[in-house]
């Protein structure tokens, strides 16, 4: 029932909402804001779930392979628990497509995560959960989903320098705890 | 729960929670209020503390005299910066573990390059920003009024408010954690969940005449006699007497349970109140937690079910597709529950308890 689709079927004519311009690994707020509407995603690692009757969806872009993919929903998820013995882990789900839905918790399995991302399944790390549909030239619709982990930006040297300057300001203003004999005294 | 303000000589403990947030309001008498931690009401997106006081017809800026941030986990700090701004003359106490360069770096760094899932750090970063840039009131123009440590008296009139934690040893452990995290953080920023903020949580002892209340924050138990609840129970500076109301720590989890606390610091018929935590793999309090608490307490009340709530349904197609990888879905937060205990300062009849759904009696459920 589950069959991964390969990139070469679809070529490179996609925008991945989890990739920020100029950064091929991290999402930007700008692209994420668009994630719920008509966003096209790269569908490597997409897993087919099931097939339903043909439909007449919102505008689709014609792709080289006669396959069309449309992202319907995107969630930003945070890993809350490490995988257990059966590979299950819990994550929070924040709906980027419709903020009207409150955050949820869900249980995922490492098998659902693309192999290159599995070392990123750590508490606190972020991944994106896309659901959508593909339609082929015969009008057959497949509802598909995909998980993709966000690779967090590193703090640059400039970031750290700026942080140190601000931290120094705060140390000067607020002081530092020096142990039981010195601190925490009433200001 | 009737929205009527307490009398001046009436003591009140109100606990709010919605499955992933906690806020305690205490009327210390004479129209003076203590706020411990903060969460937002999902319906209004405002801090519960401000909404509740306004609903009672009380002006928060005049009534709140002390704000305590027990620790910086995101389920205890939501909207706290807004509470500080809404009560600019109130004193502010937070854990001394946060008074260090590494935590400042963490909070400021998060503002530069946000860490994943760090809303607690982010909210405290907002507070530090107010101190550093804008100022939030005459009493706090130079930062928190108290960087709190164990056995520090935060207020003495009309009601004694004393911090029983964090211990010096807990603070030292936290400082090491911050430093170690930032070694990793300089390589890659991710959420600092491996720093155990619960160990630096502020526990409060309130005392007014015969009324004694123990607010347990999220303090956990450890193997060290110098940290956690062991350090509190064994401390010779601990105020004498037994509390008749206990805000159970860490949502009733067994890692925050200490038998000696129940035996030495609480009345045998103590009112145990707690909030749930529906956001983890093991929602708390679970039935075993509730049974353990009810065996020791005279009565127990929780602000909302630990199991969370069934999410609002999406289209059948979306629901079907989601169910492929995501199982056991539930909402992290639900409606706001409220447990309120009131008692006249000289009232021999003891506490009256009210609660509004989804709050419930854990000993009858």
């Amino acid at each position: 029932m589950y069959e991964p689709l390969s990139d070469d079927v679809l070529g490179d004519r996609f925008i991945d909402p989890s990739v920020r311009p100029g950064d091929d690994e991290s999402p930007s707020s700008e692209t994420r804001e668009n994630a719920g509407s008509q966003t096209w995603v790269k569908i490597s690692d997409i897993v087919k779930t099931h097939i339903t009757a043909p439909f007449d969806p919102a505008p689709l872009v014609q792709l080289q392979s006669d396959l069309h993919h449309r992202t319907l929903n995107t969630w930003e998820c945070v890993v809350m628990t490490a995988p257990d013995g059966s590979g299950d882990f819990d994550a929070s789900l924040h709906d980027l497509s419709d903020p009207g839905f409150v955050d949820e918790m869900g249980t995922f399995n490492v098998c659902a995560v693309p192999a290159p991302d599995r070392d990123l399944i750590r508490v606190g790390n972020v991944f994106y959960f896309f659901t959508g549909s593909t339609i082929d030239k015969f009008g057959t619709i497949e509802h598909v989903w995909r998980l993709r982990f966000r690779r967090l930006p590193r703090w640059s040297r400039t970031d750290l320098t700026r942080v140190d300057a601000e931290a120094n300001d705060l140390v000067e203003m607020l002081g530092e705890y020096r142990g039981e004999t010195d601190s925490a005294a009433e200001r | 729960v009737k929205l009527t303000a307490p009398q001046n000589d009436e003591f009140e403990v109100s606990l709010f929670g919605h499955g992933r947030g906690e806020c305690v309001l205490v009327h210390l008498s004479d129209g003076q209020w203590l706020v411990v931690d903060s969460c937002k009401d999902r319906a209004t997106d405002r801090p519960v503390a401000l909404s509740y006081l306004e609903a009672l017809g009380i002006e928060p800026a005049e009534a709140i005299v002390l704000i305590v941030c027990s620790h910086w986990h995101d389920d205890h700090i939501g909207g706290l910066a807004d509470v500080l701004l809404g009560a600019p003359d109130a004193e502010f106490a937070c854990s001394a573990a946060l008074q260090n360069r590494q935590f400042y770096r963490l909070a400021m760094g998060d503002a530069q390059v946000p860490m994943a899932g760090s809303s607690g750090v982010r909210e405290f970063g907002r507070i530090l920003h107010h101190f550093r840039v804008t100022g939030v009131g005459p009493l706090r123009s130079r930062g928190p009024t108290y960087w709190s440590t164990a056995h520090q008296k935060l207020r003495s009139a009309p009601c004694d408010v004393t911090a029983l934690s964090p211990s010096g040893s807990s603070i030292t452990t936290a400082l090491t954690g911050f430093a170690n995290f930032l070694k990793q953080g300089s390589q890659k920023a991710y959420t600092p969940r491996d720093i155990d903020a619960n160990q630096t949580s502020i526990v409060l002892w309130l005392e007014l005449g015969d009324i004694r209340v123990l607010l347990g924050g999220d303090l956990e138990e450890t193997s060290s006699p110098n940290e956690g609840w062991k350090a509190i129970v064994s401390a010779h500076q601990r105020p004498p007497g037994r509390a008749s109301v206990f805000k159970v720590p860490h949502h009733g989890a067994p890692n925050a349970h200490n038998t000696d606390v129940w035996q030495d610091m609480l009345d045998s018929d103590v009112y145990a109140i707690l909030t749930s935590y529906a956001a983890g793999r093991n929602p708390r309090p679970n039935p075993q937690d509730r049974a353990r608490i009810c065996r020791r307490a005279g009565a127990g009340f929780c602000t909302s079910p630990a199991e969370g709530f069934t999410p609002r349904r999406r289209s059948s197609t979306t629901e079907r597709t989601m169910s492929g990888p995501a199982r056991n879905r539930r909402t992290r937060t639900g409606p706001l529950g409220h447990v309120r205990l009131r008692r006249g300062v000289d009232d021999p009849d003891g506490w009256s308890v009210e609660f509004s759904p989804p709050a419930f009696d854990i000993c009858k459920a």
Side-chain angles (χ1 to χ4, degrees):
Chain A
M1 183 174 181
Y2 295 100
E3 182 184 340
L5 299 181
S6 63
D7 280 352
D8 53 8
V9 173
L10 297 166
D12 295 324
R13 297 173 55 187
F14 318 102
I15 298 168
D16 187 334
S18 72
V19 176
R20 91 165 93 191
D23 176 349
D24 59 2
E25 303 217 314
S26 301
S28 70
S29 56
E30 182 184 354
T31 51
R32 272 183 284 161
E33 280 169 11
N34 296 329
S37 53
Q38 279 294 299
T39 306
W40 294 85
V41 299
K42 186 177 178 184
I43 59 172
S44 60
D45 299 313
I46 284 178
V47 178
K48 295 179 183 178
T49 53
H50 53 268
I51 297 173
T52 63
F55 75 130
D56 183 17
L60 297 173
V61 173
Q62 184 71 30
L63 300 175
Q64 293 169 347
S65 62
D66 292 332
L67 262 184
H68 310 277
H69 177 76
R70 188 171 62 130
T71 297
L72 296 174
N73 292 86
T74 305
W75 289 265
E76 186 177 62
C77 310
V78 179
V79 178
M80 303 296 288
T81 63
D84 61 14
S86 60
D88 284 349
F89 63 94
D90 282 354
S92 65
L93 290 80
H94 176 67
D95 194 331
L96 296 174
S97 313
D98 185 349
F101 284 94
V102 300
D103 289 1
E104 298 179 16
M105 288 289 296
T107 303
F108 295 81
N109 192 279
V110 292
C111 294
V113 178
D117 284 357
R118 286 182 188 163
D119 63 336
L120 296 173
I121 307 175
R122 293 187 305 195
V123 173
N125 279 4
V126 173
F127 64 93
Y128 293 90
F129 173 22
F130 306 100
T131 62
S133 55
T134 60
I135 180 169
D136 66 16
K137 62 182 179 182
F138 303 109
T140 305
I141 296 171
E142 296 162 318
H143 295 294
V144 295
W145 52 264
R146 179 192 176 212
L147 307 182
R148 181 192 160 104
F149 269 74
R150 171 183 172 186
R151 293 174 191 273
L152 288 164
R154 292 162 188 266
W155 288 1
S156 68
R157 192 177 297 276
T158 309
D159 291 332
L160 289 171
T161 304
R162 194 180 301 128
V163 163
D164 281 336
E166 291 178 342
N168 287 340
D169 283 355
L170 285 166
V171 167
E172 196 171 311
M173 190 181 115
L174 305 176
E176 269 196 290
Y177 179 78
R178 297 286 184 190
E180 288 179 271
T181 55
D182 176 29
S183 74
E186 191 172 329
R187 295 178 66 90
Chain B
V1 175
K2 290 179 184 172
L3 291 175
T4 53
Q7 303 296 315
N8 269 354
D9 61 350
E10 203 170 20
F11 199 91
E12 171 179 331
V13 179
S14 267
L15 177 66
F16 296 89
H18 50 43
R20 190 169 165 258
E22 177 173 312
C23 176
V24 187
L25 272 93
V26 181
H27 180 233
L28 303 170
S29 77
D30 293 341
Q32 299 187 27
W33 289 81
L34 159 70
V35 177
V36 183
D37 294 337
S38 178
C39 65
K40 286 186 173 181
D41 183 352
R42 210 182 70 210
T44 61
D45 200 35
R46 292 198 70 218
V48 169
L50 302 182
S51 299
Y52 177 62
L53 291 177
E54 287 167 0
L56 295 181
I58 295 169
E59 174 54 52
E62 295 171 5
I64 299 174
V65 294
L66 176 62
I67 301 165
V68 177
C69 171
S70 72
H71 63 302
W72 50 266
H73 274 164
D74 53 6
D75 59 325
H76 287 257
I77 197 173
L80 191 67
D82 293 331
V83 178
L84 284 164
L85 293 172
D89 293 334
E91 295 184 311
F92 175 47
C94 60
S95 173
L98 304 184
Q99 191 191 23
N100 74 88
R101 180 186 304 271
Q102 305 301 346
F103 184 76
Y104 302 154
R105 289 179 79 206
L106 199 62
M108 296 298 108
D110 182 69
Q112 302 285 337
V113 180
M115 292 180 290
S118 66
S119 59
V121 173
R122 198 158 303 152
E123 185 73 19
F124 211 91
R126 284 185 66 205
I127 294 169
L128 290 176
H129 177 80
H130 287 310
F131 288 143
R132 180 167 170 266
V133 177
T134 58
V136 285
L139 284 174
R140 299 197 302 270
S141 58
R142 293 177 57 240
T145 322
Y146 305 98
W147 295 99
S148 191
T149 56
H151 315 301
Q152 185 177 29
K153 184 165 278 192
L154 306 180
R155 197 158 188 90
S156 54
C159 168
D160 280 348
V161 180
T162 307
L164 303 185
S165 68
S167 67
S169 176
S170 299
I171 295 170
T172 303
T173 302
L175 298 185
T176 307
F178 287 129
N180 287 339
F181 172 76
L182 279 162
K183 282 182 192 166
Q184 301 164 355
S186 62
Q187 298 300 313
K188 179 183 270 192
Y190 63 93
T191 188
R193 286 179 187 278
D194 48 352
I195 303 170
D196 195 349
N198 288 342
Q199 287 310 330
T200 62
S201 177
I202 297 176
V203 169
L204 293 176
W205 180 265
L206 315 181
E207 188 161 354
L208 176 61
D210 292 338
I211 298 173
R212 298 182 192 86
V213 174
L214 180 59
L215 302 178
D218 263 2
L219 188 68
E220 295 179 20
E221 190 57 301
T222 74
S223 56
S224 167
N226 301 318
E227 298 181 10
W229 285 100
K230 284 192 189 73
I232 290 178
V233 175
S234 62
H236 65 271
Q237 306 101 312
R238 174 166 61 84
R242 294 169 184 271
S244 54
V245 175
F246 181 33
K247 203 294 288 180
V248 178
H250 205 208
H251 319 287
N255 62 7
H257 175 77
N258 181 304
T259 304
D260 291 340
V261 171
W262 292 86
Q263 288 180 348
D264 298 347
M265 298 181 70
L266 305 174
D267 282 343
S268 58
D269 58 349
V270 64
Y271 286 93
I273 57 174
L274 68 162
T275 57
S276 62
Y277 188 73
R281 168 161 298 179
N282 299 308
R284 301 286 179 185
N286 63 27
Q288 291 76 30
D289 300 329
R290 298 202 296 260
R292 186 184 65 249
I293 292 165
C294 291
R295 278 198 302 273
R296 293 168 171 83
F301 301 91
C302 183
T303 52
S304 61
E307 296 76 19
F309 299 85
T310 304
R312 184 155 63 93
R313 279 188 66 80
R314 295 171 166 81
S315 72
S316 58
T317 301
T318 302
E319 289 286 339
R320 248 194 336 263
T321 311
M322 281 186 85
S323 66
R327 294 173 283 115
N328 189 25
R329 284 168 45 220
R330 66 265 186 205
T331 58
R332 303 179 75 192
T333 58
L336 190 70
H338 180 193
V339 178
R340 184 169 78 185
L341 296 96
R342 282 184 175 175
R343 178 184 163 176
V345 173
D346 300 315
D347 185 357
D349 293 338
W351 297 95
S352 66
V353 184
E354 298 169 280
F355 57 94
S356 60
F360 64 104
D361 184 333
I362 62 171
C363 300
K364 289 182 180 169

